[in-house]
């Protein structure tokens, strides 16, 4: 695919001389896909950067500069299509997080500068004097005409080539946004000239590669995921959408499970209480080193999912990935029993509900997210 030239190309330069690519910031796509050989460990798409790029010969995410009219997901998807030929329609965006930031000023190339082009073409002509500057009257700095011989010893002003690089006087904050998304499987990729290789890597092996320093830091500080065992309070999730579910509770439940199941396995954003670190600006030399987050993984990979249904909804049918539990009595009681049973196992237990009473009854290690987290 041919890359389009937007208005985001250029550097943001800090007071200390550090440079970051992207006049309006940059964005990259962290794309996960299921590994058929290991349901608990997703594959992550990584780019082995060409040696001529910034931090070349390291591994990072597909991505690049944002244009002025783009939000982070649009920029990340565009860059991934340019660098890997993965279509935006083939992935589902789950979340976005700013993983790096830096204050500075913008240095950029303003595009095709016609003054610069005209001057370069003039210098290619052998019949022109190339070392003098003419004023508006057509005379040079000595007052002689362009074709006249200059007086001996006259001082000529050198021609000044219009700059191709300009600096903005306004301060900006450069940010890099990591956009998290899922693919239904490890999609085929076609690298462009910015890549030595594109590879689907098991998530547990990502840190074994020589990573781009900024990506390595972001990966260690919360981008990686952990396997999740999901328990869905179906009655609560169903009730969060006024779509007429009460007219046919069993049918609406079946449709909901089919809808949610179509996106499994998937990345799930974990609540802030799980310990997501807040991205910070550059630390001074006297700042203490940041300690490890309380809970490093800010995202979960839904490796196994349960749906608890009760009452009239127990007649619902579902042949997808959810393990359906038909509660003989209270759905809340069944959810508490199930969460307690699987808590402490190999996966982090996450319950989807907005019921505060139910949340208070769950074991302390169980995380709770609301229906919006699952429904998007």
């Amino acid at each position: 695919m041919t890359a389009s030239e937007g208005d985001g190309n250029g550097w943001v330069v800090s007071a200390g001389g550090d440079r970051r690519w992207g006049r309006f910031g940059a964005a990259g796509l962290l794309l996960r896909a299921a590994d058929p050989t290991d349901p608990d460990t997703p594959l992550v798409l990584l780019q082995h950067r060409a040696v001529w790029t910034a931090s070349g010969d390291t591994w990072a995410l597909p991505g690049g500069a944002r244009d002025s009219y783009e939000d982070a997901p649009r920029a990340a998807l565009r860059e991934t299509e340019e660098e890997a030929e993965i279509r935006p329609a083939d992935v589902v965006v789950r979340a976005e997080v700013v993983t790096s930031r830096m204050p500075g000023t913008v240095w950029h190339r303003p595009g095709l500068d016609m003054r610069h082009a005209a001057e370069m073409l003039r210098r290619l002509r052998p019949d022109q004097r190339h070392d003098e500057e003419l004023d508006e009257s057509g005379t040079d700095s000595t007052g002689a005409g362009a074709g006249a011989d200059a007086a001996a010893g006259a001082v000529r002003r050198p021609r000044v080539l219009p700059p191709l690089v300009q600096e903005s006087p306004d301060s900006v904050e450069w940010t890099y946004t990591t956009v998290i998304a899922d693919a239904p499987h490890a999609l085929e990729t076609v690298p462009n000239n910015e890549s030595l290789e594109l590879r689907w890597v098991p998530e547990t092996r990502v840190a074994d590669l020589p990573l781009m320093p900024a990506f390595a830091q972001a990966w260690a500080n919360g981008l990686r995921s952990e396997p999740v065992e999901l328990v869905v309070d179906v009655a609560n999730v169903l009730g969060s959408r006024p779509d007429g579910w009460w007219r046919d509770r069993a049918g609406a439940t079946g449709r909901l499970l089919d809808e949610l199941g179509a996106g499994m396995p998937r990345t799930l954003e974990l609540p802030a209480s799980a310990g997501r670190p807040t991205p910070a600006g550059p630390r001074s030399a006297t700042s203490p080193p940041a300690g490890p987050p309380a809970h490093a993984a800010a995202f979960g990979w839904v490796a196994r999912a349960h749906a608890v249904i009760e009452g009239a909804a127990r007649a619902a049918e579902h042949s997808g990935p959810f393990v359906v539990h038909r509660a003989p009595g209270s759905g809340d009681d069944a959810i508490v029993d199930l969460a307690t049973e699987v808590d402490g196992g190999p996966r982090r237990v996450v319950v989807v509900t907005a019921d505060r009473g139910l949340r208070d009854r769950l074991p302390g290690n169980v995380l709770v997210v609301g229906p919006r987290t699952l429904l998007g």
Side-chain angles (χ1 to χ4, degrees):
M1 176 180 178
T2 302
S4 59
E5 183 81 10
D7 63 356
N9 290 342
W11 296 97
V12 174
V13 183
S14 74
D18 292 330
R19 299 192 308 167
R20 300 291 186 272
W21 181 249
R23 295 175 58 192
F24 308 102
L29 190 72
L30 174 51
L31 186 61
R32 290 186 173 93
D35 183 349
T37 67
D38 183 0
D40 281 334
T41 304
L43 302 172
V44 176
L45 179 63
L46 294 183
Q47 176 194 46
H48 191 184
R49 299 172 62 81
V51 293
W52 59 267
T53 64
S55 298
D57 201 24
T58 62
W59 292 81
L61 303 176
R66 290 172 58 177
D67 290 329
S68 60
Y69 54 87
E70 292 180 312
D71 59 15
R74 183 175 178 182
L77 291 171
R78 172 183 55 76
E79 287 284 343
T80 302
E81 186 172 20
E82 292 174 2
E83 297 175 4
E85 293 198 7
I86 289 179
R87 299 181 305 171
D90 291 336
V91 306
V92 179
V93 172
R94 301 298 188 188
E96 58 184 279
V97 57
V98 174
T99 49
S100 183
R101 59 179 78 242
M102 184 192 77
T105 54
V106 174
W107 290 71
H108 68 99
R109 295 183 182 274
L112 180 60
D113 189 312
M114 295 308 298
R115 297 175 304 147
H116 189 99
E119 176 65 11
M120 291 298 293
L121 289 173
R122 189 198 67 79
R123 292 188 180 195
L124 294 175
R125 293 182 56 186
D127 60 332
Q128 295 286 330
R129 296 288 299 266
H130 305 326
D131 60 347
E132 61 187 25
E133 179 81 19
L134 300 181
D135 61 24
E136 294 180 358
S137 65
T139 61
D140 63 19
S141 59
T142 67
D149 292 334
V155 178
R156 300 181 184 277
R157 290 179 295 165
R159 284 188 177 271
V160 177
L161 194 64
L164 272 180
V165 178
Q166 297 178 356
E167 179 184 12
S168 167
D170 299 325
S171 296
V172 299
E173 183 181 51
W174 180 91
T175 58
Y176 186 96
T177 303
T178 301
V179 178
I180 291 86
D182 295 329
H185 54 85
L187 300 170
E188 182 179 353
T189 61
V190 179
N192 68 358
N193 65 341
E194 297 183 32
S195 306
L196 296 174
E197 180 187 357
L198 293 166
R199 185 190 301 176
W200 289 95
V201 179
E203 182 157 331
T204 53
R205 304 299 300 273
V206 168
D208 296 339
L209 295 170
L211 302 179
M212 184 178 184
F215 174 55
Q217 181 178 8
W219 182 256
N221 287 343
L223 287 183
R224 65 183 184 269
S225 72
E226 64 176 328
V228 159
E229 188 141 5
L230 195 70
V231 179
V232 181
D233 180 358
V234 175
N236 190 268
V237 174
L238 195 66
S240 69
R241 299 195 301 187
D243 58 359
W245 55 265
W246 51 87
R247 290 191 290 268
D248 178 12
R249 189 182 295 263
T253 297
R255 290 190 295 273
L256 175 65
L257 294 181
D258 290 343
E259 174 189 338
L260 297 179
M264 299 290 183
R266 57 162 291 174
T267 303
L268 188 73
E269 188 171 13
L270 301 182
S273 60
R276 178 199 301 278
T278 301
R283 295 189 300 111
S284 69
T286 58
S287 298
H295 180 65
F299 298 93
W301 177 252
V302 180
R304 184 174 170 86
H306 305 264
V308 177
I309 57 180
E310 62 183 344
R314 288 183 297 176
E317 297 182 358
H318 173 68
S319 58
F322 279 93
V323 178
V324 178
H325 301 261
R326 306 176 194 277
S330 165
D332 285 5
D333 291 345
I335 292 170
V336 172
D337 291 343
L338 176 59
T340 302
E341 177 185 345
V342 296
D343 184 33
R347 307 178 185 97
R348 190 72 179 269
V349 180
V350 177
V351 173
V352 183
T353 187
D355 187 330
R356 294 184 178 181
L358 172 58
R359 181 181 58 191
D360 292 341
R361 297 175 56 192
L362 294 170
N365 290 331
V366 172
L367 294 179
V368 178
V369 299
R372 290 293 105 190
T373 302
L374 194 58
L375 296 173

